[in-house]
Amino acid sequence: KVQMVRVVANYFQKKIGLRWLTVKQASSDSDTDVRSYIHFPGLSVDEKDTMLYELFGKLPHTDHVLKPSLRFFVMKSFQFAALPTVVYLLLWYFDQLQNHWGWGIAYFLLAMAVVWRLYINSSLEVGQEFIQRKQGFWDLSTTILEPYKIQAIRTKQFFWQRSSNTGEVTLFTSG
């Protein structure tokens, strides 16, 4: 009944060898049913590997790594860094804010660093027996899914994404 497994660790947890493992099971209403999740906090790397071996019968292995398009970084940078900074600087320029233009530049640099880290840490790893999705800013999360448990696939591609052959894929399981 295991639908997917999530392994989470931040920088310091990785350095001392700790992981947080969450097992998601099939449930009729998984959004409100807390019993559909089983949490294993504070596992060592060996214990995590043992748990994954017990759940899947082997350790997850993938063959291909897919990274997001650079356009993802550009669009998120515009959305979360450039546009708010331009609005802030326009307010400063028209005297709505008193000599605090430095805050706008500091926000822009911080937002760009956050978007870049999210872009670098995102990947989709695909193999014959496992699909792994890696993401996160501070807590790096790896979600592991077996392809035969996928029940539906939804793809979405806007008209401006067709020429660059990019889009979005959503995988659904019974959980």
Side-chain angles (χ1 to χ4, degrees):
K1 293 175 72 174
V2 173
Q3 292 301 306
M4 66 180 63
V5 175
R6 176 171 286 152
V7 180
V8 180
N10 63 35
Y11 175 78
F12 296 112
Q13 290 171 337
K14 280 187 177 181
K15 288 296 181 188
I16 60 175
L18 293 178
R19 304 291 190 272
W20 179 285
L21 189 86
T22 302
V23 178
K24 184 168 179 10
Q25 297 178 324
S27 175
S28 60
D29 188 15
S30 63
D31 293 334
T32 59
D33 189 8
V34 290
R35 293 174 295 171
S36 66
Y37 293 96
I38 301 172
H39 301 286
F40 299 95
L43 296 177
S44 69
V45 176
D46 293 335
E47 291 170 333
K48 175 201 63 119
D49 289 344
T50 301
M51 288 298 298
L52 291 176
Y53 187 80
E54 289 295 322
L55 293 171
F56 296 124
K58 63 177 81 174
L59 291 177
H61 173 70
T62 57
D63 301 324
H64 305 288
V65 178
L66 305 171
K67 298 294 283 180
S69 171
L70 189 59
R71 290 174 178 88
F72 172 81
F73 172 71
V74 171
M75 291 305 295
K76 294 294 180 186
S77 298
F78 179 76
Q79 182 180 6
F80 293 112
L83 191 62
T85 303
V86 167
V87 169
Y88 182 85
L89 292 176
L90 283 174
L91 288 174
W92 170 78
Y93 181 76
F94 291 114
D95 278 336
Q96 298 296 322
L97 302 171
Q98 300 288 330
N99 295 329
H100 295 293
W101 61 270
W103 288 109
I105 302 302
Y107 170 79
F108 177 77
L109 294 175
L110 180 66
M112 286 298 290
V114 168
V115 171
W116 178 254
R117 180 139 169 101
L118 287 171
Y119 172 72
I120 290 298
N121 289 335
S122 296
S123 69
L124 181 68
E125 299 179 8
V126 181
Q128 287 287 21
E129 299 171 350
F130 296 100
I131 298 173
Q132 295 184 21
R133 178 177 155 216
K134 296 183 179 183
Q135 65 179 8
F137 173 75
W138 178 252
D139 287 335
L140 301 178
S141 170
T142 302
T143 304
I144 304 166
L145 171 70
E146 293 174 301
Y148 73 88
K149 294 183 179 178
I150 296 172
Q151 292 187 342
I153 299 173
R154 181 180 69 199
T155 60
K156 183 165 64 171
Q157 186 179 44
F158 295 110
F159 68 90
W160 62 82
Q161 294 174 324
R162 288 190 183 127
S163 62
S164 62
N165 200 21
T166 60
E168 179 181 325
V169 176
T170 307
L171 306 175
F172 296 97
T173 66
S174 65

